[in-house]
Structure formats: structure tokens, C-alpha cells
Amino acid sequence: DDPLARAVVPPHVVHRTLASETVLLNIQTGHYYGMDGTGGRFFEVLRDAKSVDTAVASLIREFDAPADQIRADMLRYCGELLEHGLIELQETGVGSRQS
């Protein structure tokens, strides 16, 4: 689990935000994943961030909760999304460094 990895929504995942819920659907498996407003905000920030760590930093500024709690929640959340094929993690900087 690389906190510098970037979460990417794969092409086989459709997501929509409705009034107070965000819905993700893996069209390959038919698995549906619904989130409340907080989960939806986590997803939005994660999707747009350069890395998981950047997403956590944004959420720490936004939510009135301890940083360690937000970090733990995000890592657990990423694990659930990964398990269901709803996100993929890409290492940042791949191809930009030469050995």
C-alpha cells in the first residue's frame, strides 16, 4: 500500500453522484457500491488527487476529525474499493525516473 500511489477509476466502473449518495457500478462484475455523502466526498477527492496521500491531506483540512482517523478511514476505504475492482492504484512517477 503505497500512499504515493494514485487512485484511478478504471473504464469498467461507472459512477454517479445523486442527491445524498454516490453510486459506483463495476459493469464487469455487476457489483454495485453505494456511499453516503461523506463516502462520496472521499471518492471525489480521491479520484481527483495526485496521490492517496494528497487526498488524505485535503480531507484533513476539510473534515473536523483527527488526521490519523482520516488516514485510517481512507486506507480502509481504498482497500474496499480495490477489493471490488472499483479503483486501481498506479504508482506515481513511473517512467519518469531512470535507473
Side-chain angles (χ1 to χ4, degrees):
D1 296 349
D2 178 5
L4 298 178
R6 182 169 193 260
V8 177
V9 179
H12 61 267
V13 174
V14 178
H15 54 90
R16 295 287 179 269
T17 299
L18 310 169
S20 62
E21 181 182 32
T22 297
V23 176
L24 286 84
L25 172 66
N26 182 329
I27 58 177
Q28 289 180 338
T29 64
H31 182 68
Y32 160 95
Y33 194 85
M35 296 170 255
D36 64 10
T38 301
R41 183 64 185 147
F42 268 52
F43 177 73
E44 182 181 1
V45 170
L46 181 64
R47 187 188 71 216
D48 295 338
K50 293 183 190 297
S51 70
V52 173
D53 222 33
T54 304
V56 169
S58 294
L59 292 167
I60 287 169
R61 288 190 297 273
E62 188 173 325
F63 286 93
D64 184 25
D68 289 345
Q69 182 64 50
I70 291 175
R71 183 169 281 105
D73 289 349
M74 177 59 85
L75 293 177
R76 183 172 48 254
Y77 181 69
C78 284
E80 289 175 19
L81 294 178
L82 279 166
E83 182 181 328
H84 296 296
L86 299 169
I87 62 169
E88 296 170 351
L89 292 181
Q90 294 179 346
E91 287 185 44
T92 54
V94 172
S96 64
R97 288 178 296 193
Q98 295 180 343
S99 356

